[in-house]
Amino acid sequence: MVAQQSKRSAILQVACKLVRERGASQLTLDAVAKEAGVSKGGLLYHFPTKEALVQAALDDFLNRFDSSTEEEASRNTKLNNQWAQAYLIQTFEINKEDLEMSFGILAAASSNPVLLEPMRQRYVEWQSRMAAECKDPVEATVARLAADGLFYCELFGFAPLEDGLRKDVLSYLLDMVKNRDVRSEGSPSNGAVQV
């Protein structure tokens, strides 16, 4: 089963890489099978259609993001609003491989908007959770939108932030979603959460 899971993951990575390098229109099951070094039958065993492949890649990315956010919330005892602040940290700390996979997934899914429905649903869940955990739902929403905006700017290469500014922006957003009881102990600028 582990070998099947790693083969499945490898196929998903190859599919995302192909979209990133050649464009969404070049994503075919034949091209993925060839690049992944599997037979077409082997590919079809895991993903019977191109849509199933794209959907699986999107689900995999979303599930891994959720898992890493939950882990950060559990692990990082310095967080005040664990999940909300963990969401911001995970959005800012997404690795290059996941960023490239995201690009491929979104490009491929854009040709069939139905495939984006799970992502839309996940954003609704994230927004609800962010607003519920934070005392001020407007501040929580602004922080989430800023983090999401950074993610999409980096995804598409639109003026990515230099490291120092990026760190300062994250600290500002983390402070923004703190409980007010904690924030009232000091000014917003001196109560920043350490990442």
Side-chain angles (χ1 to χ4, degrees):
M1 183 67 161
V2 172
Q4 284 184 349
Q5 278 300 95
S6 66
K7 180 56 78 177
R8 186 176 193 279
S9 294
I11 292 169
L12 292 175
Q13 288 178 345
V14 165
C16 292
K17 179 181 169 221
L18 283 173
V19 172
R20 180 89 175 170
E21 292 175 354
R22 301 180 193 168
S25 64
Q26 299 301 309
L27 181 66
T28 65
L29 294 178
D30 288 330
V32 172
K34 181 179 178 185
E35 189 76 22
V38 298
S39 67
K40 184 141 181 202
L43 176 68
L44 293 172
Y45 171 79
H46 293 285
F47 309 105
T49 64
K50 177 180 165 180
E51 288 75 19
L53 175 64
V54 171
Q55 191 68 67
L58 180 59
D59 290 344
D60 178 67
F61 171 74
L62 294 172
N63 291 338
R64 284 185 297 106
F65 181 82
D66 274 346
S67 291
S68 63
T69 301
E70 292 294 343
E71 287 169 19
E72 179 72 24
S74 297
R75 178 191 64 74
N76 193 337
T77 58
K78 295 177 184 173
L79 301 182
N80 176 261
N81 276 340
Q82 272 95 2
W83 189 89
Q85 290 176 318
Y87 177 91
L88 298 174
I89 291 167
Q90 290 307 306
T91 302
F92 270 69
E93 292 183 354
I94 194 162
N95 64 44
K96 186 176 190 248
E97 181 180 298
D98 278 341
L99 202 58
E100 288 181 359
M101 283 189 72
S102 305
F103 181 87
I105 296 163
L106 294 174
S110 68
S111 65
N112 184 351
V114 171
L115 296 175
L116 292 173
E117 190 54 38
M119 190 169 205
R120 286 185 194 100
Q121 196 54 42
R122 205 69 66 103
Y123 269 95
V124 168
E125 292 167 16
W126 293 335
Q127 173 60 31
S128 295
R129 190 162 181 187
M130 197 75 144
E133 281 195 13
C134 299
K135 295 230 177 184
D136 185 338
V138 172
E139 287 181 343
T141 300
V142 169
R144 183 191 65 79
L145 290 171
D148 293 345
L150 175 92
F151 170 80
Y152 287 106
C153 283
E154 290 185 352
L155 182 69
F156 296 112
F158 299 149
L161 302 179
E162 58 90 11
D163 290 341
L165 181 57
R166 197 170 196 282
K167 184 178 179 183
D168 291 345
V169 170
L170 175 58
S171 287
Y172 183 88
L173 294 176
L174 289 170
D175 188 60
M176 194 179 214
V177 298
K178 273 187 175 181
N179 279 332
R180 290 197 178 202
D181 298 340
V182 172
R183 191 181 307 161
S184 65
E185 294 172 10
S187 68
S189 61
N190 69 10
V193 172
Q194 298 301 309
V195 187

